[in-house]
Structures are given as structure tokens and as C-alpha cells.
Amino acid sequence: MSGGDQIRTTAEAHEEAALAQARPNARVVHADPDISSAEQKPLPEAIARKPVEEKSPAEWAYERLILYIQNFEEQLDGDHEIAMGFAGSDSGVMRIEGIGFFDPDIVTFYGSDETGAKTQLIQHVTQLNVMLRALPKQVDDEAPARIGFRLVADLEQEAPVEAETAHGER
């Protein structure tokens, strides 16, 4: 071995890999580009310390739910507190204002309910069921929000790179 070579333990290699990966793959697109969400924020050191592949799905989902709850609460005023509803109940309809994912198994929907209350649905991919429904826009004199166009535009920005990589072309 030359003087610059080092022998690393398996634990050191895992720690190095965890530190090199700033965060797992996550994406979100909102109708309002100024919205801040959990998918965009760096992972706290306490969560990033242990590599994702060493976590159980339950542990990893729990940690991401904490991030979502923290981010949601940061957007509340002093007159409101967080509550939770469960999918599959009679929780009503949500106006979709944002959609995101967090690998490996969570999809989240941002929006408001029929009364205008801010809502967010966080769902495991194995439980994913979506019904799309047209609702009257909230303010008659404003243009309707079109999240679908923003989602497609975001996908199109990445499509050429993915296509080139898939075919091995540059």
C-alpha cells in the first residue's frame, strides 16, 4: 500500500455513504412555486445519520412523517394547531394544490377542503387511491390554478436527460 491508501471498516464505509448522500430522492411541484415543503428541505443530521437502506419501512415512514408535520406546523399561525385525518374515512374532498413523493413509499397531496381549510394527505403507495373531481374555483375573477401543467412541465425538464441515459447516448 502507498502512504495515501486507507483501510476502512464496514461501519466507516456506511457512515461515509450516509454523509455523502445529502438526502434520498424526493420531489414536489406546487401550483405556487414559493411554497416550501418537506421534500425540499435538507434532512436533519439525526435522520441522515443512519442510511435509508438500514431503516425499516416503518422507521423511515415515521421519520418522514415527522418532517411533514414539522413543515406543516411551520406554516400555521398562532391560532391553529395540527390535526390528522385518515384516508378512507369521510374526510371529504381536497382541492389539489401540490403533489409530491418521498422515496421509497410515501406520496403526499397538498390542498384545501371544500370549506377552504388547508389540508394535506400523506399516503403509503400501497394504499394509494385517487379520485379526481372538478370543483368551482375559489375566486371567480382569478384564473384557475392548474397544477397538472406544472407537473408535466417538471417532468419534461428531466425527460431528455433520462432518455439519453436510458439509451447510453450523450
Side-chain angles (χ1 to χ4, degrees), residues 92-154:
V93 176
M94 178 189 345
R95 185 178 307 275
I96 299 173
E97 297 166 0
I99 301 173
F101 74 91
F102 212 136
D103 280 343
D105 57 4
I106 296 288
V107 176
T108 185
F109 299 89
Y110 301 87
S112 54
D113 68 13
E114 293 172 288
T115 68
K118 181 177 180 167
T119 59
Q120 181 176 359
L121 173 64
I122 304 163
Q123 202 162 37
H124 191 276
V125 294
T126 62
Q127 300 297 312
L128 187 59
N129 291 297
V130 178
M131 176 184 73
L132 300 177
R133 180 176 170 189
L135 294 178
K137 36 180 212 176
Q138 293 179 320
V139 180
D140 287 336
D141 54 1
E142 289 185 16
R146 299 289 188 231
I147 185 68
F149 292 106
R150 291 189 49 81
L151 292 167
V152 171
D154 183 68

Side-chain angles (χ1 to χ4, degrees), residues 10 55 65 71 162:
T10 302
K55 297 177 184 184
L65 283 172
N71 185 74
E162 291 173 0

Side-chain angles (χ1 to χ4, degrees), residues 57-113:
E59 179 182 11
W60 186 220
Y62 170 79
E63 290 176 347
R64 286 175 290 159
L65 283 172
I66 290 171
L67 297 175
Y68 285 118
I69 290 168
Q70 179 187 38
N71 185 74
F72 193 90
E73 288 179 331
E74 286 173 353
Q75 299 173 46
L76 297 177
D77 61 25
D79 294 329
H80 295 86
E81 60 186 14
I82 196 165
M84 184 178 285
F86 296 94
S89 67
D90 55 357
S91 57
V93 176
M94 178 189 345
R95 185 178 307 275
I96 299 173
E97 297 166 0
I99 301 173
F101 74 91
F102 212 136
D103 280 343
D105 57 4
I106 296 288
V107 176
T108 185
F109 299 89
Y110 301 87
S112 54
D113 68 13

Side-chain angles (χ1 to χ4, degrees), residues 27 29 147-164:
R27 172 187 279 164
V29 177
I147 185 68
F149 292 106
R150 291 189 49 81
L151 292 167
V152 171
D154 183 68
L155 288 175
E156 288 173 346
Q157 288 178 354
E158 288 193 11
V161 175
E162 291 173 0
E164 289 175 7

